[in-house]
Amino acid sequence: MLTPDTKANLSDRLFFDLDFSTGAVAAVSGGSDSTALVLLLKDHLDRTAPGARLLAVTIDHGLRPDSATEARQVADFCAERGVAHRILAWRGDKPASGLPAAAREARYRLLAQAADAEGIKLILTGHTADDQAETVLMRQARDDDGRGLAGMALATLHDWRTWIVRPLLGTRRAALRDMLRHRDVGWIEDPTNVDARFERPRMRAALAQGEGERRIAEALALSAQAARERHDIGRRAAKLIDAFASRPVPGLIRLDRDFAGHEDGQAAVYVLRILLATVGGMSFLADEARCAELLSRLQLGSLCATLSRTVVDARRTGIFLRRESRNLPAPAPPADNWLWDNRRRVILDDRITLKDGPGDLVIAPLGRAAASKAPFSEDVPQSLSRAALAAEPALWSGGKHLDFAGGDAGPQSVSIVPAVATFARFLPCFDIEPATAVAMLVGAPPVPAPPFHGHDGGRGWAKA
């Protein structure tokens, strides 16, 4: 039986090392897991940080007739307990396929908007150990390459600025429901959770039968091992990036020739996967098998190849990576927090006013003509520098460029800063070390410190 003491111990164990200095946004759908999250979090903050701001946010996806009513029920529940609450709706057309992924993306975007509006840097979600096991088993069934078997990360950086933390990830759903029953608290049962049209409900139903508990235990053990391995290879890759990679001009990465023959071939392939995705502006890492083949070819001498929208030009002086010139974004007005070509983040000063007239500001590739006038590094062939710079974004007005790639446009208050493409939207804590190394390499802003006292809460992953 749960007593007041055990309830306090549970909430303290879940939240003791989190930094609530900016407050917290709790994602609350009304289901058992998120209801338990907001109750336990309120208990913890009342005891340890009564001045900390707590905002519960419910996302109304508008996918079921009862969703708006359920969101109002959550609002009433929070009001009864003195928790500030906000309902945000996912508006617009919904995709005919890939609905769960699109809903997840919308949910995190709206949660981040709510946090940003309040100056809060921490979002908490109610994902449990059961959710983790389901995730791992679904990825295993898809023949995942190993990275995904780490499952959901305890902490994930969203849009390079807001941390999403899953404090219940080590807690079983049954324990949370036991706590709710003991406190005579009900919850909303979402019929989507048993809708066999979707993958997760089918996996959940399978785990409710026969060998389910054994499979859950095995999946959680597999997740822990995969997370350790992912962190380890990320640490080794970060060292290789620091040792062998440089950026002679914006948009051009140079790897020392010795990189291709490094004894840690596994980490070298991983570095290639990350750098190719970063230079090419890809959201997913380059294919592992093709990168392994490319690394073998690089050991043999000179070559020129294209993979993941990246031109790989291996010469005697180094291995050079640049964005290929095809399929670059069309000219468009600047928009705040826009990921241009998934390689550069556009940031607008709050004071800027953009109009729609023909001579107004647009962002477009610098192009070869303008790139030929840019300063060059004496250590790099000018043809490489020109080709790399030509694919970089620049700010234009009336047919004239106002700055060179990656710069600040001064009085226009538009900044175009590098981004680490693969991790620009979501950076799991497993990958902090390689993401930090690439950010330093390309000149991206540093990774914000994780929201734990001492940065990692003793979890053994990298300090940003």
Side-chain angles (χ1 to χ4, degrees):
M1 177 179 292
L2 288 170
T3 67
D5 286 341
T6 58
K7 285 188 292 184
N9 290 341
L10 177 60
S11 62
D12 286 342
R13 175 175 61 80
L14 295 171
F15 309 115
F16 79 96
D17 58 352
L18 278 170
D19 179 3
F20 292 106
S21 58
T22 68
V25 165
V28 187
S29 67
S32 61
D33 305 343
S34 62
T35 299
L37 170 70
V38 73
L39 285 177
L40 291 168
L41 181 57
K42 179 71 162 55
D43 289 346
H44 178 77
L45 293 179
D46 284 348
R47 286 195 309 275
T48 64
R53 291 181 297 164
L54 172 58
L55 173 64
V57 175
T58 301
I59 307 301
D60 178 6
H61 291 95
L63 299 175
R64 294 183 293 104
D66 296 333
S67 63
T69 300
E70 292 170 355
R72 289 193 295 270
Q73 290 174 354
V74 176
D76 293 341
F77 174 86
C78 290
E80 291 170 1
R81 288 156 179 82
V83 176
H85 181 267
R86 184 174 302 163
I87 299 172
L88 298 178
W90 180 26
R91 304 192 186 281
D93 296 334
K94 308 301 189 292
S97 61
L99 184 59
R104 183 167 55 251
E105 175 72 28
R107 180 166 63 252
Y108 286 129
R109 173 175 53 81
L110 291 169
L111 288 168
Q113 288 176 2
D116 192 51
E118 298 293 332
I120 294 173
K121 301 299 182 183
L122 175 62
I123 297 170
L124 303 183
T125 69
H127 294 100
T128 66
D130 299 74
D131 295 312
Q132 182 75 300
E134 293 160 7
T135 297
V136 171
L137 290 169
M138 288 188 297
R139 292 177 180 178
Q140 189 178 39
R142 297 184 211 130
D143 294 324
D144 192 280
D145 67 2
R147 282 174 49 81
L149 297 183
M152 292 179 283
L154 173 66
T156 298
L157 184 64
H158 179 266
D159 254 356
W160 212 257
R161 59 184 178 185
T162 307
W163 282 100
I164 300 167
V165 176
R166 305 174 177 94
L168 307 183
L169 211 53
T171 305
R172 294 296 302 273
R173 179 171 294 119
L176 297 173
R177 291 187 169 186
D178 182 40
M179 182 272 293
L180 292 176
R181 293 187 187 99
H182 182 77
R183 295 174 69 157
D184 197 25
V185 174
W187 59 86
I188 297 169
E189 292 286 2
D190 183 350
T192 306
N193 289 332
V194 294
D195 190 336
R197 292 177 299 169
F198 301 115
E199 182 182 22
R200 188 173 293 274
R202 293 196 301 269
M203 178 59 71
R204 188 166 296 176
L207 291 176
Q209 303 172 6
E211 298 287 312
E213 285 300 312
R214 177 188 60 79
R215 293 183 67 195
I216 289 173
E218 291 175 351
L220 294 176
L222 176 61
S223 171
Q225 177 62 30
R228 288 190 292 269
E229 292 173 356
R230 184 161 160 180
H231 174 260
D232 179 63
I233 194 171
R235 174 186 56 80
R236 288 149 47 202
K239 289 184 177 179
L240 292 186
I241 292 169
D242 290 342
F244 292 101
S246 60
R247 184 186 58 147
V249 298
L252 185 65
I253 300 299
R254 178 186 179 275
L255 290 166
D256 295 346
R257 288 293 328 189
D258 292 342
F259 167 81
H262 194 274
E263 61 183 3
D264 191 349
Q266 184 185 33
V269 169
Y270 189 37
V271 167
L272 272 183
R273 298 182 71 192
I274 295 173
L275 291 184
L276 288 171
T278 299
V279 174
M282 303 298 289
S283 297
F284 300 97
L285 296 181
D287 181 75
E288 184 173 20
R290 296 183 69 185
C291 283
E293 179 184 356
L294 176 60
L295 185 65
S296 297
R297 292 176 62 194
L298 289 171
Q299 296 171 15
L300 300 177
S302 300
L303 68 83
C304 189
T306 302
L307 180 59
S308 291
R309 304 199 309 187
T310 298
V311 176
V312 181
D313 193 335
R315 307 185 179 198
R316 180 182 55 82
T317 54
I319 302 166
F320 297 92
L321 312 179
R322 63 174 176 83
R323 170 71 160 91
E324 67 174 333
S325 58
R326 297 183 303 163
N327 301 318
L328 291 167
D336 192 42
N337 203 36
W338 173 28
L339 278 175
W340 186 92
D341 199 36
N342 213 32
R343 296 184 293 131
R344 299 290 183 269
R345 193 180 297 274
V346 179
I347 302 171
L348 304 187
D349 187 289
D350 291 339
R351 296 166 297 178
I352 190 171
T353 300
L354 299 175
K355 300 179 181 179
D356 297 323
D360 293 329
L361 300 175
V362 297
I363 296 178
L366 187 62
R368 287 186 176 273
S372 66
K373 301 174 184 178
F376 297 109
S377 169
E378 295 181 358
D379 298 331
V380 179
Q382 288 192 10
S383 60
L384 284 175
S385 294
R386 287 194 183 103
L389 285 172
E392 290 296 281
L395 195 64
W396 296 76
S397 179
K400 296 182 179 180
H401 68 84
L402 306 179
D403 69 335
F404 284 110
D408 181 88
Q412 282 75 31
S413 299
V414 179
S415 296
I416 310 171
V417 299
V420 184
T422 305
F423 306 123
R425 286 300 187 201
F426 294 98
L427 169 58
C429 59
F430 315 124
D431 303 317
I432 285 182
E433 288 187 79
T436 298
V438 176
M440 293 180 63
L441 173 65
V442 302
V447 177
F452 299 98
H453 300 300
H455 284 189
D456 69 358
R459 288 169 172 79
W461 38 275
K463 296 180 179 180

